[in-house]
Amino acid sequence: MNEISLYRNKRKTTQMLFFSGAICLLLFIVLLYSIGLFDGVFKAKPTVFSGGALLVLLILVLINLLSLRDKSAQIILNDAFFLGKTTPLAKAFGQGDWADVKAIDLQKVGGDTLVIVTLGNPNKYKGRLSSLLWKMAYQESADELTIMYSASTIDVDASELYNLFVSYWKAKDSH
């Protein structure tokens, strides 16, 4: 099989950023209301919640705005390996080998559907991830890593991405 490179879909990314910006605006209005700007009554719990959520969402929006300059492929699949940058975990993980893949699943997580790649031989990949990301990815009971890939910003939808991953994984068995 040939190598396939999947690039950022500007329209999908712009829609996602617009939606995130609208949520930021709503959270900002809630924050202003909570601090008593409109009625003169300070409300502590809504202030803390809306302020924290607004801060986190603004950071994510800024990171996504900065990543728009990245013109490189977001996911690369070929006969030997797979590589993706569509989630922070996948980006930090880097390149995985098809020989280590045990399973590939499609799972809805929050508002996104993710392709979940389960890898055996986790010691091979241990030094790549920070301790926080390692704890997220490593399933101690099964001695496996689970790496997630999103189709939310690329040119294909989640089921097509899943089918691509599965076809490359199965093709490695025929070589």
Side-chain angles (χ1 to χ4, degrees):
M1 293 180 80
N2 294 335
E3 180 172 283
I4 187 167
S5 298
L6 302 171
Y7 292 90
R8 181 179 309 280
N9 181 323
K10 294 273 190 196
R11 186 183 58 78
K12 278 177 142 179
T13 304
T14 304
Q15 284 178 334
M16 183 179 65
L17 287 171
F18 180 74
F19 182 70
S20 299
I23 292 173
C24 284
L25 181 61
L26 182 64
L27 285 170
F28 184 68
I29 291 169
V30 170
L31 180 65
L32 292 177
Y33 175 75
S34 300
I35 62 173
L37 187 66
F38 302 121
D39 61 0
V41 179
F42 178 76
K43 297 152 197 79
K45 286 182 183 178
T47 299
V48 171
F49 170 76
S50 60
L54 179 62
L55 182 64
V56 169
L57 194 54
L58 280 175
I59 290 170
L60 292 174
V61 167
L62 289 174
I63 289 170
N64 280 318
L65 280 172
L66 293 174
S67 72
L68 284 176
R69 294 187 295 185
D70 181 9
K71 305 291 186 211
S72 64
Q74 297 298 296
I75 293 180
I76 298 173
L77 306 171
N78 68 27
D79 293 338
F81 66 87
F82 55 94
L83 173 72
K85 300 189 283 186
T86 59
T87 64
L89 179 60
K91 188 175 185 176
F93 176 74
Q95 179 179 309
D97 296 329
W98 291 116
D100 297 323
V101 175
K102 294 174 87 176
I104 299 175
D105 299 303
L106 194 61
Q107 183 177 0
K108 187 153 181 73
V109 178
D112 198 2
T113 303
L114 301 173
V115 174
I116 311 290
V117 178
T118 305
L119 298 162
N121 196 12
N123 290 331
K124 177 179 177 179
Y125 303 102
K126 188 164 182 132
R128 296 183 183 189
L129 299 172
S130 68
S131 61
L132 175 66
L133 291 176
W134 181 260
K135 287 177 186 174
M136 287 174 55
Y138 183 60
Q139 309 299 319
E140 190 173 353
S141 61
D143 195 34
E144 299 172 338
L145 284 177
T146 54
I147 309 299
M148 297 163 253
Y149 299 88
S150 173
S152 64
T153 60
I154 57 176
D155 281 328
V156 299
D157 68 13
S159 61
E160 289 176 84
L161 182 61
Y162 169 77
N163 290 333
L164 284 170
F165 266 89
V166 169
S167 65
Y168 274 87
W169 178 40
K170 288 184 178 182
K172 66 106 175 133
D173 290 332
S174 63
H175 290 7

